[in-house]
Every structure is written in structure tokens, then in C-alpha cells.
Amino acid sequence: MKFIKNNGGRENYFPVDKKKDATNDCVVRAIAIATEQDYLVVRDCLFDLAKEQGRMPNDDKIYEAYLSQIGWVKKKPMRNKHNRKLRLHQVKINTNAVFITSGHVCAVINNDLNDRWDCRNWCANSYYVKGEK
């Protein structure tokens, strides 16, 4: 798996010159990248859903509900032959996916990690892919 530095379209609207400029938006960024939607569209949809449910937009219940609404399906973590979860760099997936790691959400596009920073060494927990039509 290759790492591709990607701001998910955030740079079209907000500065991303320093790491502090692009923190706490990994959910919006990952979903925008993986679903190929505009950053602000994803952000606004997550905020609207969060307001309805009295939660924060990066709450797992919010982004899980949003991904489900747009037809994405949650998958269990990939495991090796010893039943241990794979690290992101070990994952082989040839589609768009949103991966959940410990405290972080990132996008994988055709087996390339697209994120603000390189988290390939983190455990790949559950993930989302576009559902069957």
C-alpha cells in the first residue's frame, strides 16, 4: 500500500499549511475522499445529522448513519491466519473504502492510503465500502 498525501478537498476552502490547520476533520476528509464528494457537502451533511441527533459530527454513530444513508456497508476487520487484525499497510483492497483505526478515520482508494498523514502502521479496524447495487 502506497501513501498519498491528500487533504480531501479541504484546501479548496480552508488553509492546510500546518498540521494544526487540518486536525479533527479526519471523518469529513476520509468520507469526502472515499465517496468522491465535495468536502463541504460531506461536512454539512454530517453537521446536519449531528444536530438532529444531539451529537458531534465526528461521533461514530453519526458517520456510520451517514455512510449507511448513502449506501455504504460496514465490514468486519480483515484478519491474518492467526486471527489478528491487519495493519493498514497489510490490507489489499481494490476499491474505495473508509477505514476506522484507533481514534482516526482514513480513506483507501484502490489500495492506496489517501490521508493527511501516513497511518499505514495502524491497525485496520472495521471499514466501509460502497454496497451492492
Side-chain angles (χ1 to χ4, degrees):
M1 178 179 289
K2 172 172 66 169
F3 168 66
I4 300 170
K5 189 169 185 174
N6 191 329
N7 294 314
R10 178 187 169 100
E11 69 278 4
N12 296 332
Y13 304 104
F14 307 106
V16 287
D17 300 334
K18 299 180 176 87
K19 185 175 179 180
K20 71 174 183 62
D21 295 330
T23 58
N24 299 322
D25 75 334
C26 67
V27 171
V28 178
R29 237 180 319 107
I31 293 173
I33 293 167
T35 62
E36 300 174 350
Q37 295 182 77
D38 184 77
Y39 179 92
L40 288 183
V41 170
V42 172
R43 185 201 65 178
D44 292 348
C45 289
L46 289 170
F47 268 95
D48 290 344
L49 193 56
K51 286 191 291 187
E52 288 172 17
Q53 295 187 22
R55 296 181 180 274
M56 297 303 287
N58 60 349
D59 184 305
D60 59 343
K61 300 227 185 289
I62 299 303
Y63 65 77
E64 287 179 357
Y66 177 69
L67 286 166
S68 179
Q69 283 178 5
I70 63 171
W72 285 57
V73 179
K74 187 175 186 177
K75 301 288 188 174
K76 293 181 180 180
M78 296 177 187
R79 297 185 178 272
N80 66 18
K81 64 183 179 183
H82 304 294
N83 202 31
R84 295 184 61 110
K85 287 188 269 187
L86 297 181
R87 300 214 176 250
L88 278 169
H89 68 85
Q90 298 169 310
V91 167
K92 301 285 188 250
I93 188 163
N94 292 317
T95 188
N96 293 11
V98 174
F99 273 87
I100 314 303
T101 66
S102 179
H104 186 56
V105 179
C106 60
V108 173
I109 308 294
N110 294 321
N111 211 42
D112 291 332
L113 173 65
N114 284 251
D115 202 352
R116 177 82 175 141
W117 59 85
D118 189 353
C119 60
R120 288 178 291 180
N121 215 24
W122 296 15
C123 277
N125 295 326
S126 57
Y127 65 103
Y128 290 82
V129 293
K130 182 75 173 157
E132 297 293 319
K133 292 182 179 180

